[in-house]
Amino acid sequence: MVLRSMKKRIWVDLLNPSHPLFFKALIDELEEDYDFQITVRQRAETIGLSDQLGLNAKTMGSFYDGKKMKTIGTVNRVITLFSQVEPFDWSLSFENSDCVAASRMRLKKSILMFDNDLKFRKNTGYIQFFENWVKLFANHIIIPKAAENVFNGFSRRKNIHIFNGYKEDIYLADYTPDPSVQASIPFDHYVVIRPEALNSFYVQQKFSLVPGLLSYFNGHEVPVVYLPRQPEDMKLTEGYEVFVPPTPLHGLDLCYYADAVLSGSGTMAREAACMGKPAVSFFPNTDFLSVDTKLIQEGKMMHSRDAMEIGEYVLSQKNEEISTDFKRSKQVKNEVLTIIKDILN
């Protein structure tokens, strides 16, 4: 007779490229006391990074652009998760209505973490409204303090937990730079550029700054490591010189060894900012995530939609001495782990 483990079973669902690193940091600390199963959605480097980190994730569903296809894809994925995920006691996810919905359908409890309060502050149509509505069905919600004010309207809910820091701190806490990544990059010095997620519902400005940035850096002979989100992002590089890694590289290593990190979204810029590197967000909105606003106010990150202004800022930082200290990140990680353990117990 095979005895089943008496540990609680946790299901983790990965949607985006930042999720493998994020949850790997948590799982490593929790796996002694809990059994994990991991699923992953096919999007950009998410599967490749999951494999590199040894997460043994099972692929379920893909990402689709466009409102109609995204709606159909989300519904199909929720049904797939509901019917195919192995038995679990709790689910744990980040910015993930798919996981919350499937957990609810299975009558199981869910923990949802997120930092994109902009989705709750902007009316971007019925699809985003429905996703937000589903997320609020999570049994427990964990958010950074920077976004706390947005959720004052949900203060009647006793299951909203606040931590002091950023999600990027959680996987930066135990980060050790890997110098071998330099062998994969044909330059000693470079800037990293990741384009905007222009198909996201909450994005206002539907044009990319990437060609302007590439024009500036090519003109100043600054090598660029370019990280496309989707295959069509390569069209933005036509006529310019960029290096695209042939296989997924550890994003933190790219940040650590780069002269600067520029992102049209937020995660990579926040990673760089949290480790003390020159960080630029060219997020295509006039309104920002609260976590980005806080980093900008603290002088840890720059925001601009002007390619020349960004280029001049990056070049001005070239000879600045940079020191990285992860003590604060370790404190943030321990705080979040305490919250999760208290919930699960």
Side-chain angles (χ1 to χ4, degrees), residues 72-341:
I72 294 172
T74 298
V75 171
N76 287 339
R77 186 167 193 269
V78 170
I79 293 172
T80 299
L81 295 173
F82 167 72
S83 60
Q84 296 186 21
V85 169
E86 296 178 7
F88 62 95
D89 299 304
W90 286 84
S91 68
L92 178 61
S93 63
F94 195 100
E95 292 279 358
N96 192 331
S97 58
D98 298 1
C99 186
V100 173
S103 300
R104 195 78 175 182
M105 292 165 66
R106 293 274 285 266
L107 304 179
K108 296 298 181 180
K109 295 181 178 180
S110 57
I111 300 172
L112 179 68
M113 305 181 69
F114 58 81
D115 61 0
N116 193 338
D117 57 306
L118 187 60
K119 292 181 178 180
F120 286 84
R121 289 189 276 117
K122 292 292 184 181
N123 182 10
T124 54
Y126 69 93
I127 297 177
Q128 189 64 68
F129 174 84
F130 183 73
E131 285 188 3
N132 292 343
W133 179 72
V134 171
K135 289 174 183 177
L136 293 175
F137 275 99
N139 296 90
H140 292 269
I141 296 173
I142 304 175
I143 60 173
K145 187 172 180 60
E148 182 178 11
N149 289 338
V150 175
F151 294 90
N152 284 340
F154 309 117
S155 60
R156 66 185 182 278
R157 297 172 61 102
K158 298 180 180 179
N159 60 355
I160 294 181
H161 310 266
I162 310 296
F163 68 95
N164 293 285
Y166 307 93
K167 84 170 189 293
E168 291 76 17
D169 285 312
I170 293 169
Y171 51 91
L172 276 170
D174 302 309
Y175 168 67
T176 300
D178 180 5
S180 68
V181 73
Q182 291 293 74
S184 304
I185 308 295
F187 325 110
D188 292 328
H189 295 277
Y190 56 90
V191 299
V192 173
I193 296 180
R194 188 161 176 83
E196 308 93 334
L198 294 180
N199 291 317
S200 294
F201 296 135
Y202 54 87
V203 166
Q204 295 170 336
Q205 301 174 22
K206 297 295 184 179
F207 70 93
S208 179
L209 202 65
V210 167
L213 292 170
L214 295 180
S215 176
Y216 183 93
F217 288 119
N218 277 192
H220 287 77
E221 299 184 342
V222 177
V224 173
V225 174
Y226 185 67
L227 305 177
R229 296 175 181 276
Q230 305 295 331
E232 54 265 30
D233 288 337
M234 289 304 299
K235 295 178 182 178
L236 300 172
T237 70
E238 292 178 358
Y240 301 105
E241 292 185 12
V242 299
F243 173 75
V244 179
T247 58
L249 297 178
H250 197 314
L252 296 185
D253 289 330
L254 285 174
C255 288
Y256 186 85
Y257 290 105
D259 290 337
V261 176
L262 294 69
S263 175
S265 187
T267 297
M268 285 202 75
R270 287 192 295 273
E271 290 171 349
C274 286
M275 66 170 65
K277 301 287 290 188
V280 177
S281 166
F282 53 98
F283 184 57
N285 267 30
T286 55
D287 195 7
F288 316 126
L289 277 67
S290 293
V291 287
D292 290 338
T293 297
K294 185 170 177 59
L295 285 169
I296 293 168
Q297 291 172 344
E298 292 175 343
K300 297 178 180 178
M301 185 167 73
M302 175 201 184
H303 178 271
S304 177
R305 290 289 291 172
D306 185 313
M308 181 173 292
E309 182 182 27
I310 292 173
E312 291 176 350
Y313 169 77
V314 170
L315 293 185
S316 74
Q317 302 294 305
K318 189 172 183 180
N319 297 319
E320 293 290 327
E321 186 175 343
I322 299 170
S323 62
T324 54
D325 183 357
F326 300 125
K327 290 181 180 178
R328 186 188 60 81
S329 293
K330 291 181 184 295
Q331 293 173 349
V332 175
K333 179 182 177 182
N334 289 334
E335 183 180 357
V336 171
L337 282 168
T338 298
I339 292 172
I340 294 175
K341 289 177 181 179

